[in-house]
Amino acid sequence: MNLLHEHENDIFVVVAFATRFLYHLKFIMSTHEHFQNKRIEIFDMKLDAAQRLDILQQFQAGNIDYLFLSAKIGGEGITLTRSHRMILVDSASDPNPQNENQIIARIHRIGQEEMCTIYHMINKYTTDDAISNVIHVQKRYMFAKSLERDHQTLEKLSKDQSQNLMNCVSSYLSRYPQISGIRKIHGI
């Protein structure tokens, strides 16, 4: 809730695969003094087509402060460009990364005028945390391998460009000491 409070002038879409979480969060927020005058709506499978359309129109018109979106319905071609901040609550529990991309595309699409920020809310020492760590290690490994394949391209960079790129990569990888071995692959 601190994140929502810190950015109180921004419009958030909160997404969860476990829809029950959204109802609990709405209840908790409604009891907090800061959120008592805010309109919070849940967009899930319990709504009929007319209710869904009404909520979408109300959200885009600025009449809803926080939209809580069920991930099960979130990839259905809806446009939520009024928001540029999204919180994904339990995205690591979905084995298909394309579903997460579809959900993010609800705010990050044509018509969006702001830089989008996506927050992944993951509890430490949970299955989601372990899955997320594995995914991040795989992404970093694939990035490192792509640099290795593009070695010829790197050789064509100027010395300054090459040094800047290597500094960026080193900085990124240094934040993840558990995979520091990747540095040796590239001689960083």
Side-chain angles (χ1 to χ4, degrees):
M1 284 202 313
N2 288 340
L3 177 65
L4 298 174
H5 185 64
E6 287 172 18
H7 300 280
E8 63 183 297
N9 295 326
D10 291 334
I11 308 304
F12 278 85
V13 173
V14 179
V15 182
F17 285 89
T19 309
R20 187 174 0 164
F21 173 83
L22 299 174
Y23 286 92
H24 290 300
L25 183 60
K26 182 178 179 180
F27 174 76
I28 291 168
M29 287 176 67
S30 68
T31 62
H32 191 279
E33 66 182 67
H34 176 73
F35 299 105
Q36 286 182 349
N37 295 323
K38 304 286 185 181
R39 183 168 173 202
I40 303 168
E41 290 292 340
I42 296 177
F43 190 86
D44 66 2
M45 298 296 280
K46 294 179 183 177
L47 304 172
D48 63 33
Q51 291 170 315
R52 287 186 215 159
L53 181 61
D54 181 55
I55 287 177
L56 291 176
Q57 289 173 341
Q58 292 287 325
F59 180 76
Q60 288 296 98
N63 300 324
I64 296 174
D65 298 300
Y66 299 101
L67 182 65
F68 292 176
L69 182 67
S70 165
K72 296 170 187 161
I73 200 170
E76 289 188 1
I78 58 177
T79 298
L80 303 171
T81 54
R82 179 170 170 254
S83 173
H84 64 277
R85 294 188 186 272
M86 179 178 279
I87 300 174
L88 298 171
V89 176
D90 54 358
S91 62
S93 64
D94 185 1
N96 185 350
Q98 191 57 35
N99 290 339
E100 182 177 305
N101 293 339
Q102 283 293 322
I103 292 165
I104 292 170
R106 300 309 98 211
I107 68 166
H108 187 259
R109 59 190 307 129
I110 295 173
Q112 179 57 265
E113 297 174 2
E114 301 282 338
M115 173 76 79
C116 292
T117 305
I118 310 301
Y119 302 91
H120 288 257
M121 192 172 92
I122 299 172
N123 291 321
K124 284 188 173 233
Y125 312 114
T126 63
T127 304
D128 284 352
D129 185 33
I131 291 169
S132 177
N133 285 333
V134 168
I135 290 169
H136 286 291
V137 167
Q138 288 174 339
K139 284 181 180 178
R140 287 188 295 276
Y141 178 76
M142 289 178 3
F143 176 69
K145 284 305 232 182
S146 71
L147 283 179
E148 190 174 88
R149 278 191 303 263
D150 292 340
H151 183 69
Q152 292 174 347
T153 304
L154 290 175
E155 288 177 348
K156 294 178 184 176
L157 295 175
S158 73
K159 190 171 185 170
D160 287 341
Q161 289 172 322
S162 179
Q163 188 60 46
N164 286 339
L165 178 61
M166 290 305 142
N167 288 343
C168 289
V169 171
S170 294
S171 172
Y172 179 78
L173 292 175
S174 69
R175 288 181 266 163
Y176 302 97
Q178 68 271 26
I179 60 152
S180 60
I182 287 180
R183 292 181 190 183
K184 295 175 185 172
I185 292 172
H186 302 288
I188 296 173

